[in-house]
Amino acid sequence: MKNQSKLSIHGIRYILRMCMQLLFQIGTILIAAGTIYVNRQLLIYFVILAGSYIIELMVISRHNPEVLNERVKNIKAGTKSWDKILLSLYAIFTFIVMNIFIGLDIRFGWPHIGFGYNYIGLALYILSVIISTKSLLTNKYFESSSRIQTERNQTVISTGIYAVVRHPGYSSIILWALSIPLLTGAIYTLIPSSVIIIVICIRTYLEDRMLKRELKGYREYAYKVKYRLIPYVW
């Protein structure tokens, strides 16, 4: 059923912030590279990155704007102390370290993954965007921080993609992190990618434990949907 809420000034602010985030990422790569003349793989990556931002924001603002209205603040009251640390690590490695490594790959001509692997990276990236978008469309409580949203009377979401795994948003981040080395060809981005995946796995475990303890009905949901991130694995 289509969400009846409308995009508020907070949602517009969030969209503008995402646009600035996109420009920041591209700018960080170019500064680290020391040139605006980049290779074909990186140009394709810029187009894919910008396109995914635009498409996802358009779809969510139309079908579930409440999520954008609520996501303007990264850390809200009630956010767990452990999550503040993990969020900081995630932001640093995702938006700064990862992009610096991509740029330095251009600057220093580090060992490079061939263009042929681009297609695998593209497939993983598209899958991550699809899962992320489906998660945002299904879950109106999808926030940046780990907390119980008592002021919004948070309930368990168990439909759609949440009937497959309990934390599909985090699954999408892992797929994204795996796609970047293949999509950009920058082999050393495997280092920040690995850190991001470890952070997300730790966050998934801690958030899942928190929800079992504090969110009514989540323990029963976890019994029915057995896997946190990857079906038949974990």
Side-chain angles (χ1 to χ4, degrees):
M1 191 166 107
K2 186 176 178 180
N3 193 297
Q4 297 301 311
S5 63
K6 295 182 179 180
L7 193 68
S8 70
I9 186 65
H10 300 294
I12 294 171
R13 282 172 54 199
Y14 180 77
I15 290 173
L16 291 175
R17 192 177 80 187
M18 290 299 99
C19 292
M20 294 301 296
Q21 182 176 288
L22 172 64
L23 293 175
F24 175 80
Q25 290 187 76
I26 293 175
T28 301
I29 291 172
L30 295 177
I31 290 171
T35 179
I36 60 172
Y37 300 103
V38 296
N39 59 38
R40 180 177 58 167
Q41 263 181 295
L42 202 50
L43 284 174
I44 292 172
Y45 174 64
F46 286 162
V47 172
I48 293 169
L49 180 65
S52 64
Y53 264 66
I54 293 168
I55 291 170
E56 186 167 73
L57 287 172
M58 286 178 62
V59 170
I60 302 304
S61 63
R62 178 176 175 82
H63 296 287
N64 194 10
E66 185 178 354
V67 169
L68 302 185
N69 296 339
E70 293 293 330
R71 282 176 70 85
V72 69
K73 285 187 178 181
N74 280 333
I75 299 180
K76 295 184 179 181
T79 298
K80 303 300 181 183
S81 56
W82 49 261
D83 196 44
K84 294 176 183 179
I85 297 171
L86 293 175
L87 268 177
S88 297
L89 284 172
Y90 171 76
I92 290 168
F93 276 87
T94 298
F95 303 115
I96 299 175
V97 178
M98 177 75 82
N99 294 306
I100 288 175
F101 269 68
I102 293 172
L104 292 180
D105 178 79
I106 298 294
R107 182 187 287 265
F108 296 119
W110 286 343
H112 208 68
I113 298 174
F115 185 76
Y117 290 96
N118 234 49
Y119 300 105
I120 300 174
L122 179 59
L124 291 174
Y125 190 96
I126 291 173
L127 183 58
S128 76
V129 173
I130 291 172
I131 293 173
S132 173
T133 303
K134 283 183 174 292
S135 302
L136 287 162
L137 287 173
T138 304
N139 187 1
K140 67 178 182 178
Y141 304 110
F142 197 116
E143 281 193 354
S144 301
S145 59
S146 294
R147 69 189 187 100
I148 301 299
Q149 300 170 41
T150 52
E151 77 284 1
R152 299 177 66 200
N153 298 313
Q154 183 179 357
T155 57
V156 174
I157 302 298
S158 59
T159 58
I161 198 164
Y162 285 86
V164 181
V165 291
R166 303 201 295 265
H167 301 276
Y170 295 156
S171 300
S172 72
I173 293 173
I174 290 174
L175 288 171
W176 169 84
L178 291 172
S179 76
I180 299 305
L182 300 171
L183 201 52
T184 63
I187 193 168
Y188 288 134
T189 56
L190 285 168
I191 297 171
S193 288
S194 299
V195 174
I196 291 167
I197 291 171
I198 291 170
V199 168
I200 290 300
C201 288
I202 294 172
R203 194 180 189 209
T204 299
Y205 173 79
L206 292 175
E207 183 174 312
D208 205 63
R209 187 175 65 174
M210 173 199 73
L211 291 170
K212 285 179 180 178
R213 289 175 176 174
E214 301 180 30
L215 184 60
K216 183 180 179 181
Y218 189 86
R219 191 174 292 275
E220 292 76 13
Y221 163 67
Y223 180 77
K224 293 178 182 178
V225 179
K226 299 186 182 299
Y227 302 101
R228 298 176 179 90
L229 295 174
I230 307 170
Y232 306 107
V233 178
W234 187 63

